[in-house]
């Protein structure tokens, strides 16, 4: 982004794009606030018009990532259609797809170590995304008798851990260092099936 872009009021978005590029190239800890400004094509002082420091820039990157993530999960859930268990599997696939296609956002969202107390807007964005998974867990749990239903929060956390763990395993390049017999989507599908069967649930209407 050139200085001309800054004068047209695009500085904030230019800095976010610069941060994403730098995260992709160097990792979360591989760049400074000044380097983000240089990559955006502005002076080292210019970013302070929008961000207090590098952490605030990363928080905005992560917030934007969670908003994109929420949109993907919402689309995948599709109000539980065609069937809540099928739609739950689609959420998992969307989780993997986001980690694979948006690795810089994913890193900023889950690996930056930013304080949620200092950045409440980041907490709210993450909560909105997680709420979709919790809603899905609630709908799937309705298939079980009341006395056998696990708490929806616990179920959502189990499913989040499964999806996140598989996404992290493959996104970190471990697949290049060892022979993994399954694709991430197949691994998630098998894990989800085993989990649901353990609860007494099976796919299908």
């Amino acid at each position: 982004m050139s200085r001309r872009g800054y004068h047209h009021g695009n500085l904030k978005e230019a800095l976010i794009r610069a941060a994403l590029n730098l995260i992709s190239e160097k990792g979360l800890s591989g760049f400074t606030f000044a380097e983000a400004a240089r990559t955006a094509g502005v002076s080292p002082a210019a970013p302070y018009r929008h961000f207090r420091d590098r952490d605030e820039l990363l928080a905005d990157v992560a917030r934007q990532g969670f908003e994109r993530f929420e949109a993907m999960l919402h689309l995948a859930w599709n109000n539980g259609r065609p069937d809540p268990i099928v739609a739950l599997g689609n959420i998992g696939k969307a989780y993997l797809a986001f980690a694979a296609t948006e690795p810089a956002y994913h890193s900023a969202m889950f690996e930056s170590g930013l304080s949620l107390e200092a950045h409440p807007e980041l907490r709210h964005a993450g909560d909105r995304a997680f709420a979709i998974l919790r809603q899905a867990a609630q709908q799937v749990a309705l298939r079980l008798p009341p006395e056998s239903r696990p708490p929806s929060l616990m179920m959502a956390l189990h499913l989040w851990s499964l999806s996140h763990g598989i996404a992290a395993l493959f996104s970190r390049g471990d697949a290049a260092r060892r022979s993994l017999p399954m694709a991430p989507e197949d691994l998630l599908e098998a894990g989800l099936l085993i989990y649901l069967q353990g609860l007494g649930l099976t796919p299908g209407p």
Side-chain angles (χ1 to χ4, degrees), residues 50-84:
H50 291 287
F51 302 106
R52 180 179 62 253
D53 52 24
R54 181 178 177 277
D55 278 359
E56 193 165 88
L57 170 59
L58 285 178
D60 219 36
V61 172
R63 177 196 55 77
Q64 191 176 92
F66 272 116
E67 289 173 354
R68 290 171 176 254
F69 186 50
E70 178 191 1
M72 283 187 69
L73 297 185
H74 179 76
L75 185 64
W77 171 238
N78 193 27
N79 290 320
R81 295 188 292 265
D83 165 77

Side-chain angles (χ1 to χ4, degrees), residues 112-190:
S112 61
L114 294 168
S115 167
L116 296 181
E117 286 68 30
H119 304 284
E121 73 287 352
L122 183 56
R123 177 190 292 277
H124 296 328
D127 287 347
R128 288 193 297 271
F130 182 74
I132 297 173
L133 183 55
R134 185 167 184 179
Q135 179 189 9
Q138 289 173 331
Q139 291 297 313
V140 170
L142 290 176
R143 293 280 186 84
L144 294 167
E147 65 275 10
S148 302
R149 290 174 194 163
S152 62
L153 176 58
M154 182 182 73
M155 189 174 173
L157 288 170
H158 286 161
L159 298 169
W160 178 31
S161 299
L162 178 62
S163 301
H164 189 81
I166 294 172
L169 175 66
F170 283 84
S171 66
R172 288 179 180 276
D174 288 359
R177 293 196 292 270
R178 68 191 72 185
S179 177
L180 298 174
M182 304 176 74
E185 295 79 10
D186 294 337
L187 188 59
L188 177 62
E189 184 178 356

